[in-house]
Amino acid sequence: MAAEDEGLTGPDGARPAPEAQPQPGPAPLDERRPGPKSVPELLLGRPPMARPLPSFDHEAAPAEPGPLFVDWLATALDAGVLDPQAFTLSTVDADGMPDARVLVLRDVDAAGTGWNFSAAADSPKGCQLAQHPAAALTVYWPQLGRQVRVRGTVERAADLVAAAEFATRSPAARVGALVGRQSEQLGGLAEYDEAVAVARRRLEATPDAVAPGHAVYTLWAHEVEFWQGDAQRRHVRLRYTRTGPVRTPEWSRTLLWP
């Protein structure tokens, strides 16, 4: 059959261009990613610690945990660990249910007894600490396979200390704290952006403004454990246990099974 009989040519015998076909859009993310979808399948063949890791001579460890933490923190910074000051703070609520979140470590005293961080006193963690002033602190530096665990009681510092600490924070951190309402239900990001704009104007007008309820806490360590991972699971765990009072601490050291 001739093309003109099919109506596929124009008056001059030229064949018209075919109609443009719609181009498919990007596939959903789970369709674009080939391979397994379940958690066990995703993790299969990716064992933790399967990389060169530093050693840890526990016999050469100092008598107190503070100097060892400073040394490990400096090593993490030199190794390019991202956010090495980030730690997980674990608390319990009024019903005894555990809770955890990532915060920023502010300071550690020379002996490694007092570990400082800040939080809003009216936030869930602040309320939990008021009800049950004890907590655990966990630091993990994956590039080095190193973990530090701290357990102890928590004490809130005076408001003057909190105000001085607030002044050292970045403008963005102060604006965020001035917004407040942490963990409350949010109607939408536009609502949050509006509150940030209000807080920013307040900080510009009053540079020394302090967020209501801003608090500084000290976790007084009873135990500090240093954990060095090993690809062959020959992990080295050294636990410091405080045997003296907070102000004049004494420490015992114990090597633990991995």
Side-chain angles (χ1 to χ4, degrees):
M1 180 180 294
E4 54 267 28
D5 293 336
E6 288 286 331
L8 299 179
T9 59
D12 57 358
R15 188 181 297 274
E19 293 183 6
Q21 297 297 318
Q23 297 298 314
L29 184 60
D30 57 351
E31 293 182 9
R32 281 181 283 162
R33 182 187 294 119
K37 301 295 193 298
S38 70
V39 171
E41 289 176 317
L42 288 170
L43 298 181
L44 185 65
R46 296 176 179 269
M49 310 292 162
R51 56 188 179 277
L53 296 173
S55 60
F56 175 30
D57 182 2
H58 67 92
E59 294 182 347
E64 298 176 322
L68 182 55
F69 180 78
V70 171
D71 178 69
W72 277 28
L73 177 60
T75 301
L77 288 165
D78 291 342
V81 174
L82 298 178
D83 304 324
Q85 70 274 54
F87 72 94
T88 300
L89 178 73
S90 302
T91 55
V92 294
D93 64 15
D95 298 323
M97 290 294 291
D99 205 351
R101 74 290 290 163
V102 177
L103 299 180
V104 173
L105 184 66
R106 298 295 177 184
D107 195 10
V108 181
D109 67 15
T113 311
W115 301 66
N116 297 334
F117 60 93
S118 61
D122 58 353
S123 67
K125 54 184 168 291
C127 295
Q128 291 164 6
L129 289 172
Q131 296 165 351
H132 188 72
L137 181 159
T138 308
V139 180
Y140 179 56
W141 298 310
Q143 288 94 324
L144 302 173
R146 284 180 169 176
Q147 178 182 209
V148 181
R149 301 172 59 213
V150 187
R151 296 200 302 163
T153 57
V154 177
E155 181 182 12
R156 180 176 174 178
D159 289 344
L160 287 176
V161 174
E165 190 272 343
F166 192 80
T168 67
R169 298 168 68 108
S170 69
R174 282 180 284 164
V175 166
L178 288 168
V179 169
R181 303 183 62 180
Q182 191 175 90
S183 298
E184 294 183 14
Q185 184 172 340
L186 178 64
L189 292 179
E191 181 182 357
Y192 176 76
D193 293 339
E194 182 179 352
V196 167
V198 172
R200 186 176 292 113
R201 290 194 294 269
R202 177 185 173 188
L203 189 62
E204 291 171 352
T206 313
D208 58 350
V210 178
H214 177 71
V216 169
Y217 297 90
T218 299
L219 189 159
W220 296 110
H222 292 170
E223 295 178 353
V224 182
E225 180 188 316
F226 293 83
W227 186 97
Q228 174 63 67
D230 179 79
Q232 304 303 318
R233 301 301 187 269
R234 191 176 180 270
H235 311 313
V236 179
R237 297 175 59 191
L238 181 65
R239 182 177 65 199
Y240 289 79
T241 303
R242 181 165 56 84
T243 58
V246 166
R247 304 304 175 188
T248 55
E250 297 177 1
W251 299 90
S252 64
R253 294 178 298 174
T254 305
L255 186 66
L256 305 176
W257 281 77

